[in-house]
C-alpha cells in the first residue's frame, strides 16, 4: 500500500469516529432532556395534585365541620289587628311598643295559681301611617289623652295541656273594664320567667271605641295578638 492510500484510509477512519461521537452525544442529550422533562412534568403534576387535594379537602372539612349559629329567640310583640268593612282597604295592625309587667307571681314550672299585671302605653303604637295613628289616638277612638294606659290582670290560671293554659284576664281599655276567658301557650321559660303567646278576639264596642259600623269604616270585631316574656317580680 502506497503512502497516498494509507493517508486516505486514515482520514476515513477519523471521520467515522467523529460521527460515532456526535451520535453518542446527541443520544445523551436527548435522554437527559427527555428524562428531565418527564421528571419535571411528573413532579409538577404530582405536586399540583397534592396541593389541590389538600386545599379542597381542608376547605370542605372546614366548611362542613363548622357549627350552625343558634337561632335567636323570637322577639316579644303586642298588637291589635283590625279590619275594614271595605275588604279592598285591607287589615290594619296597631303595633304597640311600650308595656311593662308591674306585678307577677308564679312558678315557671307550673303556672297554675299564678298572677300577673301588665300596663300598656295606649298611645305608643304605630300602624304605618301617621295620619291614621293620630286619628286613632283622638277622642273618636282610643282618646289616649284621657285614657293613657290600658291594663291587663291575669288570675285563676289553670293548665289545659302540655304547654297550654287558661286564665281570667281583667282588661281595662278606654275607661271600661271587662273580664275575658283567655287561653295562652308557654313557648319558653327560665328559672324566673315565662314567654307566652296568645290570640284573643273581642269587639271594640265592648270598650266604647269608635262609631257604629254603619258610620265607621272599621269592623267591630278586632283581635289582640301577642308574645310576651313575663318575669317574676
Amino acid at each position: 500500500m502506497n503512502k497516498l492510500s494509507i493517508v486516505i484510509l486514515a482520514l476515513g477512519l477519523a471521520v467515522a469516529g467523529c460521527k460515532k461521537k456526535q451520535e453518542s452525544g446527541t443520544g445523551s442529550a436527548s435522554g437527559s432532556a427527555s428524562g428531565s422533562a418527564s421528571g419535571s412534568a411528573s413532579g409538577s403534576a404530582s405536586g399540583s395534585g397534592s396541593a389541590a387535594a389538600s386545599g379542597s379537602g381542608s376547605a370542605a372539612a372546614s366548611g362542613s365541620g363548622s357549627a350552625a349559629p343558634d337561632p335567636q329567640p323570637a322577639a316579644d310583640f303586642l298588637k291589635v289587628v283590625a279590619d275594614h268593612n271595605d275588604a279592598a282597604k285591607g287589615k290594619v295592625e296597631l303595633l304597640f311598643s311600650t308595656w311593662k309587667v308591674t306585678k307577677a307571681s308564679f312558678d315557671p314550672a307550673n303556672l297554675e295559681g299564678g298572677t300577673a299585671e301588665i300596663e300598656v302605653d295606649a298611645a305608643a303604637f304605630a300602624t304605618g301611617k301617621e295620619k291614621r295613628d293620630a286619628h286613632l289616638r283622638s277622642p273618636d277612638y282610643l282618646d289616649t289623652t284621657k285614657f293613657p294606659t290600658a291594663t291587663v290582670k291575669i288570675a285563676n290560671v289553670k293548665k289545659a295541656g302540655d304547654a297550654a293554659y287558661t286564665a281570667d284576664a281583667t282588661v281595662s281599655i278606654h275607661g271600661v273594664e271587662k273580664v275575658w276567658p283567655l287561653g295562652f301557650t308557654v313557648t319558653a321559660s327560665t328559672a324566673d320567667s315565662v314567654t307566652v303567646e296568645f290570640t284573643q278576639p273581642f269587639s271594640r264596642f265592648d270598650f266604647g271605641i269608635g262609631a257604629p259600623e254603619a258610620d265607621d269604616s272599621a269592623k267591630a270585631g278586632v283581635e289582640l295578638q301577642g308574645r310576651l316574656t313575663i318575669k317574676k317580680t
Side-chain angles (χ1 to χ4, degrees):
M1 184 179 292
N2 58 30
K3 290 182 178 180
L4 180 59
S5 296
I6 293 171
V7 172
I8 292 172
L9 179 60
L11 289 172
L13 291 172
V15 170
C18 287
K19 286 184 176 179
K20 286 183 179 179
K21 287 182 180 180
Q22 288 177 352
E23 288 174 358
S24 175
T26 302
S28 299
S30 172
S32 173
S34 173
S36 299
S38 173
S40 173
S42 298
S44 298
S46 173
S48 172
S50 298
S54 173
S56 166
S58 298
S62 173
S64 63
S66 299
D70 292 333
Q72 295 298 312
D76 285 8
F77 71 89
L78 184 65
K79 65 183 178 181
V80 172
V81 181
D83 204 356
H84 290 93
N85 288 307
D86 181 357
K89 292 183 177 180
K91 294 184 178 183
V92 175
E93 291 189 354
L94 286 74
L95 187 62
F96 289 85
S97 60
T98 306
W99 64 84
K100 62 182 177 180
V101 177
T102 55
K103 292 181 182 179
S105 175
F106 56 88
D107 176 1
N110 182 8
L111 298 183
E112 285 195 322
T115 61
E117 294 185 16
I118 301 167
E119 186 176 285
V120 182
D121 184 339
F125 68 84
T127 67
K129 292 184 178 181
E130 292 184 2
K131 185 177 180 180
R132 178 168 58 202
D133 294 350
H135 187 204
L136 290 172
R137 292 184 186 106
S138 75
D140 289 346
Y141 284 94
L142 295 172
D143 197 1
T144 57
T145 299
K146 186 176 181 180
F147 308 106
T149 60
T151 60
V152 180
K153 297 179 181 180
I154 302 296
N156 196 28
V157 178
K158 295 180 179 179
K159 196 172 182 65
D162 288 342
Y165 290 85
T166 61
D168 292 337
T170 302
V171 182
S172 179
I173 304 173
H174 198 239
V176 179
E177 187 174 277
K178 296 287 181 180
V179 178
W180 293 343
L182 177 69
F184 63 90
T185 301
V186 176
T187 59
S189 64
T190 68
D192 64 352
S193 72
V194 291
T195 299
V196 300
E197 293 185 2
F198 54 87
T199 297
Q200 178 69 31
F202 67 98
S203 171
R204 60 185 175 84
F205 294 158
D206 290 346
F207 298 95
I209 297 172
E213 284 194 355
D215 303 316
D216 199 313
S217 63
K219 288 183 177 181
V222 296
E223 193 171 77
L224 177 66
Q225 300 176 8
R227 180 191 301 116
L228 302 179
T229 297
I230 301 172
K231 190 170 183 178
K232 294 166 63 175
T233 58

